[in-house]
Amino acid sequence: MKFEVQDRRSFLARVVTSGLALIGAGLTALVGIAAAPRARKTGRRWQRTISVFEVPPERPIAAVIAERQADGWYETRKQSVVFIDRDGDSYQALSATCSHLGCRVRWDATSELYLCPCHGGAYDRSGRVVARPPPLPLQRLAVRVNPQTSDIEVEL
C-alpha cells in the first residue's frame, strides 16, 4: 500500500512539474515576442516625388519625401529632400544632403550652384564639388518616370 501512495505522489509531482514547465515556456515565448524589436526592412524602395509637369526646365526643384520608419516600438516619419532636374529628355535626382557634415544644401539661382550653409561648400548643377570642404559630390539617386501617373520616382 505504501508503494502505491509513492507512485501516485511521484506521478502527481511529474504532472505538476510538467505543467509549470509548459506555462513557463509559454510565458518566455510571449515575453520574447513582445520585447524583440520589429525587423527593419533594408531593401531600397521607389518613392514618389513630383509630377513631370512640375519640373521647370531652367532650374532644379526641391521635393520632400516623407517615409515612415519603425524603430522598435516607435514609428517616426523621416523626411528626405531631393532635387529633381531635367537632364535633356530625362531627369536626374540629387540628394540635398551635403557630403561634408550632412547639412541641407539649397539651390542658388543667381550663381547656379547648390550651396551648403554650414561651411561654404558648393556644388554645380550636376552635383560635383566646386568649392571645398565637401569631400564628395552630392549623392545621385536612381530616377524613373511612372508611365501611369507621370510622377517622377526616386529610389531610396
Side-chain angles (χ1 to χ4, degrees):
M1 186 103 155
K2 198 169 191 179
F3 185 68
E4 290 178 17
V5 172
Q6 285 182 341
D7 283 341
R8 269 195 234 157
R9 281 188 184 156
S10 63
F11 173 74
L12 185 58
R14 280 189 232 134
V15 168
V16 170
T17 305
S18 299
L20 289 175
L22 283 172
I23 291 171
L27 288 174
T28 303
L30 286 175
V31 168
I33 289 171
R38 289 185 239 169
R40 291 187 182 185
K41 295 179 182 176
T42 57
R44 298 174 64 82
R45 298 183 316 278
W46 289 95
Q47 296 285 328
R48 179 200 178 279
T49 57
I50 57 175
S51 172
V52 294
F53 305 112
E54 298 177 54
V55 181
E58 69 278 356
R59 63 179 174 83
I61 187 168
V64 178
I65 302 169
E67 307 177 76
R68 280 200 284 204
Q69 288 189 325
D71 185 18
W73 288 100
Y74 299 105
E75 220 173 86
T76 58
R77 294 185 65 81
K78 176 188 171 197
Q79 290 189 342
S80 302
V81 179
V82 297
F83 283 100
I84 307 295
D85 195 8
R86 289 189 190 269
D87 190 15
D89 291 336
S90 61
Y91 299 92
Q92 76 170 355
L94 297 173
S95 171
T97 303
C98 180
S99 63
H100 179 229
L101 292 177
C103 300
R104 185 174 292 168
V105 300
R106 65 177 175 80
W107 174 253
D108 182 51
T110 56
S111 64
E112 293 193 351
L113 295 172
Y114 294 104
L115 301 176
C116 178
C118 295
H119 293 105
Y123 302 88
D124 66 7
R125 194 164 177 170
S126 64
R128 291 186 300 260
V129 178
V130 294
R132 298 278 176 207
L136 300 170
L138 291 175
Q139 180 185 5
R140 189 177 283 262
L141 304 168
V143 177
R144 71 180 183 189
V145 176
N146 186 328
Q148 285 87 18
T149 62
S150 296
D151 291 334
I152 298 172
E153 298 174 346
V154 297
E155 189 178 23
L156 294 178

